[in-house]
Amino acid sequence: DAFPTSEVESQILQANLLGGMSNSKRATKELHEATAYIQHEMDEIASIQRGLLPSPLPAVPGLELAAIHESFDRAGGDYYDVFPIGLPEGGSIDEHTGTWGILIADASGHGPSAAVVVAMLSTLVHTHAHSAQGPGKFLEYLNRHIATKPIHGSFVTAFLMFYDPRSRTARYACAGHNPPLVRSNGNVKWLDAVGSFPLGIDRGAWYEEADVQFQTGDMALLYTDGITEAKALSGEFFGEERLQQAILNGHAGALDLIDAVRKHVRVHLLGQRPMDDQTMVALRVV
C-alpha cells in the first residue's frame, strides 16, 4: 500500500538499478583486493629471485667483476651466478683460491613461472658446485635434472665458464645461449667454439668444452638475449654488430663496460620499455 500499482514497474527498475550498482561496487572492491594480493605475491617472488643473485659479487682473485639484472616484469627468467668450484662444505669462500664458476642463464618465458625455473636452477647449481668436474659435465647434470621436472615445455639457455685464476684460463660450455664476447688487444672475438641444446629439452644431451686464455687487461661480457634482441620502434634489433661496437669503445673497467652497453641499448630503444629481461656479467682480468 506504500505506492500505487501504476508505479510498480518504476519501483522494480529502480530497485534493480540500485542492486546492480551495489553488486558492481562490491565486485570492484573484491577485484582491487585480488589485484593487490597478486601484486604483493609478485613482489615477494621478485624479492626472492633477487635474493638468489650474488650480492655483492664474490672477490675472485685476478678478476674485476660487475653485473646487472633488469626484469621486464617484476620477476623474470634471467639468472647469473659466480661461485667457487670444489669448495668443501663449511669452507670459507673468502679463502678460496681455486677455480670459479661464472654462469649466465635465461629461462624461457616471463613472470612467476620463469622465476620458479630459475629458483630450481639456482638450487641445482649450488648443490653440485662442490663436486663439479668441468663446465660440460656440470651442464649435463643440470640438464638431466631440469629435463625430468614438469616445467611444461620450458627450457633454459646457459653459458658456464670455469675460470682458473692461477693460469688465467677459462674452460667453457654452452647450452643454446648467446656466446659471450671477449675484448683483447683492441680486438673482439666470440666464445662460440662449442654449443648444444638448451637445458630441459633432451635429457641425454651432452656438452663439449673449449678453452680460452686471458691476458691482463682482457675483458669479457656475458649477456642474455634481452640485450641483442632489444627492438627499436622500427622493428630493428640491437643486434650483435652494435654490441661489438659498444665493447670496442674503450672502457676502463667491468662496470664501465656494462654502463656503456646499457647506454647504447637505451639510445637504440629511444625511450621504449624493453620487452625482455636484460642481464649482463662483465669481467676484466687484472
Side-chain angles (χ1 to χ4, degrees):
D1 296 333
F3 49 86
T5 305
S6 60
E7 295 183 8
V8 170
E9 183 178 359
S10 174
Q11 294 292 338
I12 290 175
L13 290 174
Q14 291 181 41
N16 287 341
L17 179 61
L18 181 60
M21 292 174 60
S22 177
N23 287 337
S24 176
K25 185 174 182 179
R26 184 176 68 251
T28 300
K29 180 176 181 293
E30 292 174 351
L31 179 61
H32 286 165
E33 291 174 348
T35 301
Y37 174 77
I38 292 172
Q39 290 177 344
H40 171 74
E41 291 299 303
M42 287 288 291
D43 289 339
E44 288 295 307
I45 292 172
S47 177
I48 292 170
Q49 184 181 24
R50 287 192 297 271
L52 297 176
L53 303 175
S55 181
L57 288 165
V60 178
L63 284 186
E64 175 193 342
L65 290 166
I68 185 172
H69 170 78
E70 296 178 333
S71 293
F72 160 72
D73 206 340
R74 284 185 175 85
D78 282 9
Y79 176 69
Y80 69 88
D81 211 339
V82 179
F83 50 92
I85 300 297
L87 182 67
E89 186 175 353
S92 172
I93 190 173
D94 296 327
E95 299 175 0
H96 183 70
T97 58
T99 302
W100 288 81
I102 303 174
L103 170 72
I104 191 164
D106 183 2
S108 59
H110 303 287
S113 60
V116 169
V117 176
V118 165
M120 182 191 309
L121 176 67
S122 176
T123 301
L124 291 170
V125 166
H126 288 274
T127 299
H128 192 58
H130 70 282
S131 59
Q133 298 177 351
K137 293 295 184 183
F138 202 120
L139 289 183
E140 289 171 14
Y141 169 85
L142 297 176
N143 179 61
R144 284 196 304 272
H145 285 271
I146 292 175
T148 58
K149 299 296 185 291
I151 56 177
H152 306 294
S154 295
F155 58 87
V156 181
T157 66
F159 181 93
L160 177 60
M161 173 189 297
F162 278 19
Y163 179 76
D164 185 349
R166 295 159 294 191
S167 62
R168 292 183 174 179
T169 59
R171 194 161 185 81
Y172 65 89
C174 182
H177 197 81
N178 304 76
L181 277 168
V182 174
R183 192 188 78 194
S184 180
N185 296 322
N187 298 311
V188 172
K189 64 179 179 180
W190 302 93
L191 297 185
D192 58 359
V194 294
S196 187
F197 296 113
L199 308 176
I201 293 179
D202 179 5
R203 189 175 185 275
W206 56 284
Y207 299 88
E208 295 181 304
E209 300 176 350
D211 295 310
V212 57
Q213 177 69 57
F214 288 106
Q215 306 294 333
T216 300
D218 287 355
M219 301 185 74
L221 181 72
L222 289 68
Y223 59 94
T224 57
D225 60 8
I227 300 296
T228 51
E229 295 181 7
K231 188 183 292 187
L233 286 170
S234 64
E236 185 179 7
F237 290 129
F238 181 70
E240 295 177 346
E241 185 176 344
R242 288 186 179 87
L243 183 60
Q244 283 182 290
Q245 292 303 316
I247 291 176
L248 278 172
N249 296 336
H251 311 291
L255 185 58
D256 295 329
L257 174 57
I258 286 179
D259 287 342
V261 174
R262 291 179 72 195
K263 180 179 178 180
H264 280 76
V265 172
R266 284 197 296 267
V267 169
H268 179 72
L269 291 176
L270 293 175
Q272 288 187 103
R273 184 170 178 260
M275 299 303 292
D276 197 1
D277 305 329
Q278 296 184 344
T279 300
M280 290 183 281
V281 177
L283 62 88
R284 175 174 175 267
V285 182
V286 296

